[in-house]
Amino acid sequence: MDEPGSPRAIPDGRRHSLLHNLLPESLPLPPSFLETSPAVREILQRDIGECSSDDEESGSTHDHSSTQEGGEVKLAFHPNGVAYGCGYSMVPMQGFDLPVPNPHEIEESVAAELELLRDNDIVPHSSRTRQESVVEHLRNAFSGGSHDHLPTTRTETSPLLGSDDDGTEIPSTPPPQVVHELWEEAVLAGKLRTSWQREAKTLVSYSAPLIATFLLHYSVTIGSVLTVGRLGMLELAAVNLATMTASITCYVPVQGLSTCLDTLCSQAYGSGHKHLVGLQAQRMTWLLWLLMIPIAVLWWFSEPILASLVPDADTARLAAMYLRILILGMPGVAAFESGKRFVQSQGLFRATTYTLLIGAPLSFLQNWLFAFKFGWNFAGAALAMAVTQNLLPLLLAGYVWLVDGSQCWNGFSRRAFGNWGPMIKLALPGMIMIEAQFSVLEILTIAAGQFGTAKLAAQSVLVTVTSASFNIPFPLAIAASTRIANLIGAGLSDGARVTAKVAVISAGIVGLTNLTLLSTLRFHIAGVFTDDDQVISIAARVMLVCALMQIFDALAAVSHGILRGVGQQVIGGYANLFAYYFVALPVGLTTAFTLGWQLAGLWTGLTAGLAMVCVLELVYLYYSDWEAAVIQAERRMRSEDVNQELKPARS
């Protein structure tokens, strides 16, 4: 048995790499995977130092229990929260720093450990009846949490249905500390095994709520496109040009910059300084609002710029008008992105879902009222989008105020206008990477505009459909990333490998399903968005290429998720950049203009790029050393233990 704290040796024959002489001996992990980056420490230390006097005056105390618990939960070494709402057919980069576990993730980890222990007959199965389980599940659903409600101590009523090797009786639902001890013993003894059935069930349970939430969020965009499509071909073309311009100049940079809150807010919450969670969200919101001033000026005077990019002047005029109205929604976009991270860092993952359950239907209602009932037509659709963008953060704030999350909000503070330098330094890499990837779609949209209004209108239908379909494999990728990272953190490389295989096969099934739906229902799908026969014909024809793309889109998303699970998101980012700029764009522009395939050529290029991403990432994963990833995870956990010991001195 290895000495405690020493790197785990890799037994002979356990290296699953056929090219071990050509590839590195281990998966090289970025420094942020091993410990919190200096930028994060600098931000938090400054804020803690500035706020310490106020804390003493107010008599507030900091609860470090979540951090301490997080150090014990070996299955939750790599929490992977995600800000719901990324609904684009592209694989986005995640932040370069990792958040700490929150109580929600710790409870899920305990439940997952207990379930796997039961499956391996180390802990007896629970004696609860099915009816009791259903009642408890419903209670958890309406209480906003998915807790297993494990008893913290043994009581006279605790069931004692099993025993350990030394004769000590083990309850069917032991307390968390007992679960951790049994887990550690089972891992060291090599008793834990998983199956593809179990991992498939786990991935479904993880991804299903995410799919619902992602689709809810993207339905806001779908509602706008559906409304505009009923107004005419020209309006449909204009909304595509305006939406892509808004995404590349505002929405994507905002999303990229705010990814640093995934680390900052969760680190602040995990360290016990809950009031700093609200401070970080405030600071990012003010920064985003400030950056939106020049973007708003650009949108207001965008008509001559758009007119130089597309040949039709009327399309450029309508798109510019749409952008001017969307300026009203800019504050809401920034506030919602920060707000999502604010609640997620506290483990309130359902807050965004509940917000969208109200906001999404209201957006459809507003589109109907403004565009048709009030007769505002195209301007009404733009106004409905702007109103919805401002409504969502207000609904989220209402959840925090009335339901949960207010414990991390101490009101507005002047400190939100300071300490911006380290935060910007931390946020820029994520923004640049995401911006570089999404720029490909803007280039393809501008290229589509060169083929005429009908082609640009059809492009709007295709982008909307493929982006909506991407909201199925992308949550699956998040689930696979979380599960694989947790298993590797627990030293279960075999289980992580099983999960990776199940995830890839599941991605193939999802891709084939999307391919079948898009290819067989292509005329019906296009007809939902517009009544124009010419646009329907073009969209239905090109949708055959988009249908083929679904397989590679799903596989690329999941393979990138697996890379995140083993700490290799940087590899995936470089693979994406290479594939999009050196494969997708050259192939797309060549087939579109040189070969005369036009819109079909552009989507052929994107399909080729995604196919290249699949090849690069899956080959890298196939020849990677998973045992070495386990060793790196152990080193990271030891680094976290050292940082944990130093935290009291720092604060």
Side-chain angles (χ1 to χ4, degrees), residues 213-228:
T213 305
F214 276 55
L215 289 175
L216 270 175
H217 192 278
Y218 195 68
S219 67
V220 175
T221 300
I222 295 176
S224 180
V225 175
L226 287 173
T227 301
V228 172

Side-chain angles (χ1 to χ4, degrees), residues 6-89:
S6 64
R8 178 178 302 175
I10 303 177
D12 293 337
R14 295 194 65 183
R15 179 178 175 84
H16 295 265
S17 173
L18 301 180
L19 299 178
H20 61 276
N21 292 326
L22 301 178
L23 297 175
E25 284 299 317
S26 65
L27 294 173
L29 303 179
S32 60
F33 187 76
L34 300 178
E35 60 179 349
T36 305
S37 72
V40 177
R41 291 199 299 269
E42 180 182 356
I43 294 171
L44 294 180
Q45 287 174 8
R46 284 186 181 182
D47 289 333
I48 292 171
E50 292 174 358
C51 298
S52 59
S53 59
D54 292 347
D55 295 337
E56 293 172 359
E57 293 174 4
S58 61
S60 62
T61 58
H62 305 308
D63 180 15
H64 297 269
S65 59
S66 60
T67 304
Q68 293 169 354
E69 276 190 285
E72 297 173 354
V73 181
K74 301 305 180 183
L75 193 61
F77 92 103
H78 182 178
N80 195 14
V82 62
Y84 300 142
C86 176
Y88 302 92
S89 184

Side-chain angles (χ1 to χ4, degrees), residues 116 119-120 193-202 483 495 498-499 502:
L116 199 55
D119 284 354
N120 286 270
R193 294 290 183 271
T194 187
S195 63
W196 70 266
Q197 295 95 333
R198 153 158 295 284
E199 296 310 310
K201 177 184 176 182
T202 301
R483 182 65 172 175
V498 170
T499 301
V502 171

Side-chain angles (χ1 to χ4, degrees), residues 225 233 236-238 240 448 452-465 526 529-530 532 534-543 546 599 603:
V225 175
M233 177 177 65
L236 190 57
N240 182 36
T453 303
K455 298 291 196 308
L456 188 57
Q459 174 78 350
S460 179
V461 175
L462 297 171
V463 169
T464 304
V465 171
F529 290 90
T530 180
D532 190 284
Q534 184 181 5
V535 176
I536 292 175
S537 177
I538 296 172
R541 184 170 61 253
V542 180
M543 203 173 294
C546 297
L599 198 58
W603 285 94

Side-chain angles (χ1 to χ4, degrees), residues 15-335:
R15 179 178 175 84
H16 295 265
S17 173
L18 301 180
L19 299 178
H20 61 276
N21 292 326
L22 301 178
L23 297 175
E25 284 299 317
S26 65
L27 294 173
L29 303 179
S32 60
F33 187 76
L34 300 178
E35 60 179 349
T36 305
S37 72
V40 177
R41 291 199 299 269
E42 180 182 356
I43 294 171
L44 294 180
Q45 287 174 8
R46 284 186 181 182
D47 289 333
I48 292 171
E50 292 174 358
C51 298
S52 59
S53 59
D54 292 347
D55 295 337
E56 293 172 359
E57 293 174 4
S58 61
S60 62
T61 58
H62 305 308
D63 180 15
H64 297 269
S65 59
S66 60
T67 304
Q68 293 169 354
E69 276 190 285
E72 297 173 354
V73 181
K74 301 305 180 183
L75 193 61
F77 92 103
H78 182 178
N80 195 14
V82 62
Y84 300 142
C86 176
Y88 302 92
S89 184
M90 195 74 74
V91 181
M93 277 291 294
Q94 298 295 311
F96 293 104
D97 290 282
L98 302 175
V100 299
N102 56 54
H104 171 87
E105 291 166 324
I106 292 173
E107 290 170 354
E108 284 192 340
S109 174
V110 175
E113 288 180 358
L114 181 59
E115 194 172 3
L116 199 55
L117 288 171
R118 284 173 175 161
D119 284 354
N120 286 270
D121 297 324
I122 298 172
V123 172
H125 289 272
S126 175
S127 60
R128 292 184 305 174
T129 64
R130 180 176 180 84
Q131 180 179 2
E132 290 173 337
S133 299
V134 172
V135 171
E136 182 176 337
H137 177 75
L138 292 175
R139 187 188 305 118
N140 291 335
F142 286 102
S143 65
S146 59
H147 315 299
D148 197 22
H149 291 290
L150 301 175
T152 56
T153 59
R154 302 191 187 203
T155 66
E156 293 179 354
T157 58
S158 298
L160 299 173
L161 301 179
S163 60
D164 203 351
D165 293 337
D166 59 359
T168 305
E169 290 183 323
I170 302 174
S172 63
T173 307
Q177 185 58 41
V178 175
V179 172
H180 300 330
E181 293 173 359
L182 294 173
W183 176 270
E184 290 296 325
E185 294 173 2
V187 170
L188 292 175
K191 295 180 179 180
L192 291 178
R193 294 290 183 271
T194 187
S195 63
W196 70 266
Q197 295 95 333
R198 153 158 295 284
E199 296 310 310
K201 177 184 176 182
T202 301
L203 291 181
V204 170
S205 65
Y206 281 10
S207 60
L210 289 177
I211 292 173
T213 305
F214 276 55
L215 289 175
L216 270 175
H217 192 278
Y218 195 68
S219 67
V220 175
T221 300
I222 295 176
S224 180
V225 175
L226 287 173
T227 301
V228 172
R230 296 300 166 184
L231 298 175
M233 177 177 65
L234 179 64
E235 289 81 0
L236 190 57
V239 77
N240 182 36
L241 181 61
T243 301
M244 293 309 303
T245 302
S247 296
I248 205 67
T249 57
C250 179
Y251 303 154
V252 172
V254 165
Q255 183 189 14
L257 288 171
S258 59
T259 54
C260 73
L261 291 181
D262 292 331
T263 299
L264 290 174
C265 288
S266 59
Q267 290 281 357
Y269 188 85
S271 66
H273 298 83
K274 296 182 178 180
H275 63 293
L276 295 185
V277 179
L279 179 63
Q280 305 299 342
Q282 262 186 80
R283 182 177 289 140
M284 175 56 66
T285 303
W286 284 113
L287 172 63
L288 294 177
W289 282 347
L290 183 63
L291 293 177
M292 283 181 175
I293 295 176
I295 298 175
V297 174
L298 175 65
W299 285 10
W300 188 264
F301 298 101
S302 60
E303 183 173 350
I305 301 175
L306 297 176
S308 65
L309 299 177
V310 295
D312 187 75
D314 290 335
T315 302
R317 176 181 57 81
L318 285 177
M321 182 182 71
Y322 196 93
L323 288 173
R324 292 192 192 103
I325 298 174
L326 283 186
I327 293 175
L328 299 174
M330 279 184 167
V333 171

